[in-house]
Amino acid sequence: MSGWQVVVHRAPCTTPVCSTSYRPATLSERAACPQQRQRNLHSGLCRHRGYAPDLAGCGAEQSSSSFVARVSSLEQSTSPSPNVHAEGPDIDPSTGQAIPGKAKTRFNIVFVSSEVAPWSKTGGLGDVCGSLPPALAARGHRVMVIAPMYKEYKGTKALDLEIEILGTPISYYHLHERGVDWLFVDNPGCFQRPGGLYGDTAGTYGDNQYRFALLSQAALEAPLQLQLPGGRYGEDCLFIANDWHASMTAVYLAGKYRPHGVYSDARCILAIHNLRHQGVFPPGTFKTLGLPGNWYGSLEWQYPPHQRQGAYEEEGRAINTLKGGIITSDRVCTVSPGYAWEIQTPEGGWGLEGLLRSRAYALNGVLNGIDDEEWNPQSDPHIDTQYNGSTFSRGKAANKAALQRELGLPERPDVPLFGFIGRLDYQKGADLILAAAPWLLAQDVQLICLGTGESGLEGGMRWLENTYPDKARGWVGFNVPMSHKITAGCDLQLMPSRFEPCGLNQLYAMRYGTVPVAHATGGLRDTVLPFNPWDGTGTGWTFSPCTQEAFTSALANALQTFHAHPDSFHALQQRGLRRDSSWNKAAAEYEQIFEWAKFDRPYCS
């Protein structure tokens, strides 16, 4: 499209609460973009990606057409920013074709996260922020990841810069690895503590709001001030703010930087990994965040009467950090298409479904990938026998026998071996496994569970092993090598999660030829395709609703297939082995969201 300039006659939102409202686009408007955008430039009308803005709340005088495209000469077109390489994909000189796996447009991307594996991790958020950035860097982007420095990290180097943010001095530590600039924000009093990342045995830290507001603003200062080996990132960046801990990145960008002409070309995408955690605090804490007073509305939250509790329970007033990120970010994404739909419903929205529905036009879901170097049965150092598709049967049987032997279970190749790996809490459905265990273990099967969490469920795992010593093992705690051995040695993996934004264990399981039995929710619905014996499709068994009856029914189907139709069960395992769960696939989908974010004007400023 060189030589064309799209002029969007839509004023950016200038009110703290982002009062711009949107109406659904008509069918003709949906057909207009993005596939027909080139044609619409000639016809003079472009309505973008299935929505048309209602400008009544923006307070700006506009023409009757919300989007007008005009043709300008090549001399008048704006040149790309030097910080964003827009020259297109790398070309193979021998073929003249684009090199597979490289991005069409390259961006400066800044991830902001409270945790990043392998340095800090409590769950899937750390895995994503440790794996997706290198995948994007491999595709040609320049990528920075900013996280707190919870302890001294080997290989990091202190940068020669100390700045004060929110009255607190902070410094940065840097490591360049796997093509990514890993930056750690250091203030020993704020981040380096003897407990966990977010709390200790006494509960969550009382200053978590301040700690992560500090992280968010430090992330916005880094591209402007840090002189890294490749130079400064500059203002033309794409920020990826992960969960409520980094949501203030979008709020600060709109409330403190854009009004002064800084980061006018930057965009911020809010990535929601778990909507249940929203960063809710008393309203009086707003004054500690360093925002202009008229921005209180961007964070203000009013709980309905049945949810009110605490010091402000009579009024239900609070500050909701994630809500601020939703209404100020340029786009919102989640970790699976199914979860993107669920969070717009009363059942899955945790009170924010109305706001998320209002931004449905800018809400996408991208399935997480997995680290296919760490989780690779051909090279996994933790398992007894490495294997691939051609040696699968022999390798799987060897790992099953080794697992039974190590845990003291009878070595029986004919018995179905079930596994569960996960937190022992309500969300993961560990109570459903305990409820179904008497029926399941009466079917002559073996069951191995690995996890830690609520004390009552931990006791249930001990009861399971004591009651069925020849059939069950309940390992309370977490052990990385054992998690790999269970994944490689079991025939079936249990995932009865009540809600699951994406889930990784089912992807690990399929990678090792272990068939998942999962509740059809969120990312589990997207990744575990129900087995259809008539046309030979599917990668596992799903059930809904999330009840003991539905769960045992799915287990019965799995057992019937295992015993009576071994060829069909083997085909299920092979389809899981062949599934592409790489981060390169996810990175390519994120690039489309980046393109959309840059095409639009800033949503809020």
Side-chain angles (χ1 to χ4, degrees):
M1 287 180 46
S2 178
W4 298 93
Q5 183 179 9
V6 178
V7 179
V8 181
H9 289 282
R10 169 165 71 89
C13 174
T14 56
T15 61
V17 294
C18 289
S19 58
T20 306
S21 59
Y22 288 81
R23 60 178 174 82
T26 65
L27 186 61
S28 61
E29 290 167 349
R30 289 180 184 275
C33 234
Q35 293 85 355
Q36 297 187 9
R37 188 177 300 142
Q38 179 81 26
R39 185 183 307 166
N40 291 331
L41 288 170
H42 291 279
S43 64
L45 173 66
C46 180
R47 296 189 183 275
H48 182 46
R49 277 191 313 289
Y51 72 90
D54 177 2
L55 299 170
C58 274
E61 294 182 4
Q62 302 290 335
S63 64
S64 57
S65 296
S66 299
F67 288 81
V68 178
R70 75 158 183 248
V71 179
S72 63
S73 65
L74 182 60
E75 293 76 19
Q76 291 175 321
S77 63
T78 5
S79 59
S81 163
N83 293 318
V84 178
H85 306 284
E87 72 273 13
D90 292 339
I91 302 299
D92 185 339
S94 63
T95 64
Q97 302 296 317
I99 298 176
K102 292 294 183 180
K104 293 186 297 182
T105 305
R106 299 176 187 175
F107 298 102
N108 288 340
I109 304 168
V110 180
F111 283 81
V112 190
S113 177
S114 61
E115 55 186 81
V116 53
W119 296 278
S120 54
K121 173 186 169 182
T122 63
L125 171 61
D127 285 324
V128 172
C129 293
S131 299
L132 177 57
L136 288 166
R139 294 178 62 84
H141 303 285
R142 191 180 184 199
V143 185
M144 175 194 297
V145 179
I146 301 182
M149 191 165 190
Y150 295 110
K151 60 182 180 180
E152 299 294 331
Y153 296 137
K154 184 179 179 181
T156 59
K157 179 182 178 182
L159 298 179
D160 189 21
L161 176 69
E162 183 175 292
I163 59 177
E164 185 174 287
I165 295 175
L166 300 176
T168 300
I170 63 109
S171 55
Y172 298 90
Y173 282 73
H174 175 250
L175 171 68
H176 188 81
E177 188 177 270
R178 293 183 291 166
V180 175
D181 291 306
W182 307 93
L183 281 170
F184 300 97
V185 178
D186 184 39
N187 178 281
C190 277
F191 298 119
Q192 296 191 31
R193 297 179 178 178
L197 306 190
Y198 310 116
D200 53 21
T201 55
T204 56
Y205 299 131
D207 61 347
N208 274 347
Q209 179 191 33
Y210 182 82
R211 297 169 76 215
F212 297 116
L214 192 71
L215 170 69
S216 297
Q217 199 160 337
L220 287 162
E221 288 297 315
L224 302 175
Q225 301 206 38
L226 295 182
Q227 187 68 41
L228 298 175
R232 286 188 178 89
Y233 275 63
E235 295 185 38
D236 201 349
C237 292
L238 272 165
F239 291 92
I240 315 295
N242 292 274
D243 273 346
W244 79 262
H245 317 89
S247 290
M248 289 299 296
T249 306
V251 181
Y252 285 135
L253 181 64
K256 295 190 70 171
Y257 289 84
R258 283 175 180 160
H260 300 284
V262 182
Y263 280 133
S264 56
D265 291 327
R267 299 292 184 270
C268 185
I269 298 168
L270 176 65
I272 298 176
H273 300 257
N274 193 332
L275 190 66
R276 184 180 185 181
H277 307 292
Q278 299 177 7
V280 178
F281 302 95
T285 59
F286 174 80
K287 62 180 180 292
T288 68
L289 300 177
L291 282 167
N294 64 331
W295 274 78
Y296 177 78
S298 65
L299 298 171
E300 183 181 23
W301 186 248
Q302 191 82 20
Y303 278 104
H306 68 282
Q307 293 181 349
R308 295 177 186 176
Q309 58 183 349
Y312 296 90
E313 62 181 6
E314 292 184 3
E315 301 91 354
R317 293 184 293 117
I319 281 178
N320 189 315
T321 312
L322 189 63
K323 175 249 185 176
I326 291 171
I327 69 169
T328 56
S329 58
D330 297 291
R331 295 195 69 87
V332 181
C333 69
T334 70
V335 291
S336 70
Y339 194 56
W341 172 80
E342 284 183 6
I343 62 176
Q344 299 177 65
T345 68
E347 294 80 7
W350 296 93
L352 293 175
E353 61 272 8
L355 278 177
L356 289 161
R357 282 197 301 270
S358 74
R359 301 219 61 194
Y361 66 91
L363 173 60
N364 300 95
V366 178
L367 278 170
N368 285 340
I370 61 173
D371 186 336
D372 51 11
E373 293 183 4
E374 179 185 1
W375 292 93
N376 187 346
Q378 298 184 69
S379 57
D380 192 331
H382 301 300
I383 64 178
D384 179 80
T385 303
Q386 298 168 352
Y387 58 92
N388 55 29
S390 60
T391 61
F392 168 74
S393 296
R394 185 172 63 255
K396 189 74 171 175
N399 283 291
K400 181 176 181 177
L403 180 61
Q404 292 169 326
R405 188 165 52 250
E406 180 174 351
L407 296 181
L409 290 170
E411 290 185 43
R412 295 179 56 192
D414 59 310
V415 67
L417 180 56
F418 287 82
F420 169 80
I421 304 169
R423 289 195 316 273
L424 303 181
D425 62 11
Y426 176 82
Q427 177 194 339
K428 297 297 183 181
D431 57 307
L432 285 177
I433 295 176
L434 291 173
W439 174 88
L440 178 62
L441 293 171
Q443 312 305 310
D444 192 24
V445 305
Q446 293 177 349
L447 172 63
I448 300 171
C449 299
L450 171 68
T452 184
E454 297 175 7
S455 58
L457 293 172
E458 289 183 351
M461 292 299 156
R462 297 185 181 99
W463 164 85
L464 190 69
E465 181 168 338
N466 291 333
T467 306
Y468 303 95
D470 293 330
K471 294 186 174 184
R473 292 291 180 267
W475 184 312
V476 175
F478 191 74
N479 182 283
V480 170
M482 181 52 63
S483 69
H484 284 248
K485 292 174 183 178
I486 293 173
T487 303
C490 286
D491 300 299
L492 298 114
Q493 180 115 334
L494 304 180
M495 292 201 68
S497 303
R498 286 181 169 84
F499 68 94
E500 193 67 70
C502 178
L504 294 175
N505 284 336
Q506 82 279 12
L507 301 178
Y508 299 152
M510 287 187 282
R511 176 81 165 139
Y512 283 69
T514 302
V515 182
V517 181
H519 176 216
T521 182
L524 298 178
R525 181 193 290 114
D526 294 323
T527 53
V528 182
L529 305 181
F531 171 54
N532 186 331
W534 309 113
D535 60 9
T537 60
T539 54
W541 285 271
T542 60
F543 63 94
S544 185
C546 194
T547 62
Q548 180 184 340
E549 293 74 16
F551 184 34
T552 54
S553 177
L555 293 173
N557 288 334
L559 289 172
Q560 170 71 10
T561 305
F562 181 90
H563 287 300
H565 305 281
D567 291 341
S568 294
F569 191 84
H570 181 75
L572 270 166
Q573 294 175 304
Q574 290 290 334
R575 286 193 291 274
L577 276 171
R578 294 193 297 268
R579 188 184 188 280
D580 181 8
S581 298
S582 68
W583 274 111
N584 183 64
K585 179 182 177 183
E589 294 185 44
Y590 272 103
E591 286 168 354
Q592 179 62 78
I593 297 175
F594 300 161
E595 297 270 4
W596 290 339
K598 292 295 286 186
F599 183 86
D600 281 340
R601 295 283 299 276
Y603 178 72
C604 190
S605 61

